[in-house]
Amino acid sequence: MACKSEDKNYIRNICAGYDNQPDALLEILHEAQNGIGYLAKDTLTEIASVLNISRADIHGVVSFYDDFRCEPPQGATAKICVKICRAEACQAVGGEDLAKYAQKNPDVDIHNVYCLGNCALGPAVLVGDDLHGRVTPKKFDLVLKQMNRS
C-alpha cells in the first residue's frame, strides 16, 4: 500500500523541519512515529527518498533502536511504559541501580533496551514517547508524577 499524498506531505514537512539532513535521521524517525503512531514501510521509503539515503540505512537504524515500532501499537496497558537503557555508557553512570529502583514500582511496565541514542546524558530513560537523560531515582519519580498529571 503506497503512502497517501497527505502522508507523504506530512513526512516531507518533518524532514524539511530538519533541513532534509540525513544526520537528523533519529529525530525525524521519532517525530514521524510520534505523529503517525508507528513507522510503516512506506513511511520509511518516503524518508529515505527525501533524505537521499538508502532504505537499508534507515532499516539499520530502526532495527537497532528498540523504541521504534514498524507495526501499529496493540491495545493499551494501564501501566506506564518505561524503557531503560542498559548499554555500557548508561550502566557506567548508574543505569543498573536505576533499573533496580524502577522495577520496584508497580505502576510501570519496564522494558530494558540496549540503546536510546542518548549516551552523553545517561542513564537514559524513555517514558511513553518522552526521552529523559541523567535520570536518578529522584528524577525518575518526578517524571512519573508529571506523567500522571497529564
Side-chain angles (χ1 to χ4, degrees):
M1 180 174 171
C3 263
K4 298 178 281 190
S5 63
E6 60 267 15
D7 292 339
K8 284 185 176 186
N9 287 335
Y10 179 70
I11 297 302
R12 289 177 185 152
N13 285 335
I14 290 172
C15 293
Y18 295 93
D19 295 326
N20 297 325
Q21 294 297 310
D23 61 349
L25 180 59
L26 277 176
E27 292 87 353
I28 291 167
L29 291 169
H30 278 291
E31 191 169 331
Q33 179 171 280
N34 289 341
I36 299 169
Y38 68 104
L39 299 170
K41 180 181 176 183
D42 293 333
T43 300
L44 300 177
T45 300
E46 186 63 23
I47 292 170
S49 174
V50 172
L51 299 182
N52 196 29
I53 58 178
S54 75
R55 174 88 167 72
D57 287 337
I58 291 180
H59 174 74
V61 171
V62 170
S63 63
F64 180 79
Y65 293 105
D66 289 332
D67 53 326
F68 293 123
R69 301 182 289 278
C70 293
E71 300 288 330
Q74 301 296 314
T77 176
K79 292 185 174 189
I80 299 169
C81 179
V82 175
K83 295 179 181 179
I84 300 176
C85 179
R86 301 303 289 270
E88 293 84 0
C90 286
Q91 284 183 23
V93 290
E96 195 69 32
D97 291 335
L98 177 64
K100 288 177 187 174
Y101 177 81
Q103 289 170 343
K104 295 177 186 176
N105 188 321
D107 297 328
V108 298
D109 183 18
I110 301 293
H111 297 268
N112 295 316
V113 297
Y114 181 68
C115 187
L116 292 171
N118 201 28
C119 301
L121 299 175
V125 173
L126 190 71
V127 181
D129 290 323
D130 297 323
L131 181 63
H132 301 273
R134 295 192 175 118
V135 180
T136 62
K138 182 177 181 178
K139 184 173 179 180
F140 182 79
D141 288 340
L142 289 172
V143 168
L144 290 181
K145 193 179 288 187
Q146 290 173 343
M147 286 283 297
N148 288 331
R149 279 192 238 151
S150 6

